[in-house]
C-alpha cells in the first residue's frame, strides 16, 4: 500500500488547505525526502499520514488537539 495523495486543512502548523500528490512526486524520482526548517510541518505531515492509516498518532493526541490554533476545524 502507498499513498497516492494527502489532503490537509488546518492541521497544527499547516494552516489552510494543502494537497501533496505522491504519484506526481514518484514520477520524478523513486526517492524523496521531507525537509524544511523547524516548525514548517514535517512532523505534522507524518502524523497526518499515521492518522490516515491507523486513526491514531504516536503522541497520543486526539483529533481536536491537531486543529490549527484559532481555526474552527481541521481535516
Amino acid at each position: 500500500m502507498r499513498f497516492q495523495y494527502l489532503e490537509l486543512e488546518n492541521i497544527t502548523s499547516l494552516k489552510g488547505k494543502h494537497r501533496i500528490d505522491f504519484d506526481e512526486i514518484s514520477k520524478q524520482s523513486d526517492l524523496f525526502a521531507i525537509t524544511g526548517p523547524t516548525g514548517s510541518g514535517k512532523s505534522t505531515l507524518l502524523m497526518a499520514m499515521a492518522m490516515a492509516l491507523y486513526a491514531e498518532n504516536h503522541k497520543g493526541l486526539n483529533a481536536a488537539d491537531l486543529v490549527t490554533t484559532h481555526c474552527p476545524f481541521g481535516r
Side-chain angles (χ1 to χ4, degrees), residues 29-45:
S29 175
D30 291 334
L31 179 67
F32 71 94
I34 301 169
T35 64
T38 301
S40 63
K42 301 177 301 292
S43 295
T44 297
L45 174 62

Side-chain angles (χ1 to χ4, degrees), residues 54-65:
Y54 308 111
E56 60 183 46
N57 62 73
H58 70 282
K59 293 184 179 183
L61 302 172
N62 64 43
D65 295 328

Side-chain angles (χ1 to χ4, degrees), residues 6-19 41 44-45 47-48 62-75:
L6 182 65
E7 292 180 340
L8 306 169
E9 185 172 1
N10 300 328
I11 302 298
T12 63
S13 62
L14 299 174
K15 187 174 182 176
K17 292 182 180 182
H18 302 273
R19 179 183 167 101
T44 297
L45 174 62
M47 192 168 23
N62 64 43
D65 295 328
L66 301 176
V67 176
T68 303
T69 305
H70 306 298
C71 289
F73 68 92
R75 65 173 186 98

Side-chain angles (χ1 to χ4, degrees), residues 1 5 11 18 23 51 55:
M1 175 191 311
Y5 66 90
I11 302 298
H18 302 273
D23 280 343
M51 291 287 287

